[in-house]
Amino acid sequence: MAAHPLTVGFDLDMTLIDSRPGIKAAYQALSARTGTFVDADLAVTRLGPPLEQEIRHWFPEERVAEISEVYRALYPLHAITGTPAMSGAREAIAAVRAAGGRAVVVTAKFEPNAKLHLQHLGIEPDAVIGSLWAEAKADALREHGAQIYVGDHTGDVRGARAAGALSVAVPTGPCAADELRAAGADVLLDDLTAFPAWLERYVADGGYVTEGADAASA
């Protein structure tokens, strides 16, 4: 994996943004619209997989597609303004640019809503690709030539590995550090605030790190 041209992929929910407050509000709005109870507090503890997976917990299969579209329509009204950036998110994107690289966001979230989040927060990646989960993220990562993919979920680790990219994991979402490590993460950072220093070392070393390195040793 050569360091240049450097392209780094990032997951969105619980990697670049703390989407829990906004998603909770969107599920509450969905409950009000449909008359069906959705435990929004529970739903936000298992972010990462596609929306339809969560909708199946609360609605019959024959309504999943319909309800998912209702949710996506409600989302911009309820989820965008209440969602903050994760600590270090802007600095992580800036670090990629400072290294002469490109930053792309590859997420399972509906792409128009992902773009709304990033625009609201003033985070400007070079590309945003939505509606991809786990191994399916590899398609976009390969297309954009990403050597690194940063995420918070074991599905992100799987996507990175399927793309032949270095998996950099942060335990800021639903998956604990040991789960990410067991899934095959190559690098484990406490959060994105550690990413700029790690990336500087990665580039200085010629684009290679020791497999299995963590925040202390990478």
Side-chain angles (χ1 to χ4, degrees):
M1 291 181 291
H4 299 290
L6 176 68
T7 299
V8 180
F10 291 89
D11 177 50
L12 184 65
D13 287 355
M14 305 311 299
T15 299
L16 290 175
I17 66 172
D18 184 352
S19 51
R20 291 172 297 183
I23 289 177
K24 178 178 177 178
Y27 276 123
Q28 290 171 333
L30 181 68
S31 290
R33 173 69 64 87
T34 62
T36 298
F37 173 71
V38 175
D39 188 337
D41 289 312
L42 176 59
V44 299
T45 67
R46 45 194 187 200
L47 300 181
L51 168 66
E52 288 80 2
Q53 185 166 315
E54 184 63 38
I55 294 297
R56 287 187 176 93
H57 289 290
W58 313 105
F59 294 87
E61 183 63 34
E62 63 270 18
R63 297 197 66 197
V64 167
E66 169 208 347
I67 297 300
S68 296
E69 288 307 306
V70 173
Y71 174 92
R72 291 186 177 111
L74 290 169
Y75 193 94
L77 302 174
H78 299 277
I80 304 301
T81 59
T83 294
M86 296 292 283
S87 295
R90 293 181 179 87
E91 293 82 357
I93 300 294
V96 176
R97 297 266 168 70
R102 300 174 68 252
V104 300
V105 172
V106 182
T107 175
K109 190 179 291 297
F110 183 52
E111 188 172 307
N113 289 341
K115 290 179 176 178
L116 287 175
H117 276 298
L118 294 164
Q119 290 165 5
H120 175 72
L121 293 170
I123 298 174
E124 299 181 352
D126 294 281
V128 180
I129 306 94
S131 300
L132 295 175
W133 162 242
E135 286 84 357
K137 292 186 175 188
D139 295 336
L141 294 172
R142 284 192 296 262
E143 179 182 349
H144 287 271
Q147 297 97 345
I148 300 166
Y149 185 57
V150 185
D152 67 281
H153 200 285
T154 55
D156 299 325
V157 177
R158 287 155 46 200
R161 295 180 72 84
L166 192 78
S167 171
V168 176
V170 286
T172 50
C175 297
D178 58 347
E179 294 177 81
L180 295 166
R181 188 179 289 108
D186 298 297
V187 177
L188 188 66
L189 305 176
D190 290 340
D191 57 34
L192 283 184
T193 64
F195 181 80
W198 173 82
L199 184 66
E200 184 177 1
R201 294 194 299 273
Y202 174 87
V203 172
D205 290 343
Y208 294 89
V209 296
T210 302
E211 186 172 349
D214 59 20
S217 59

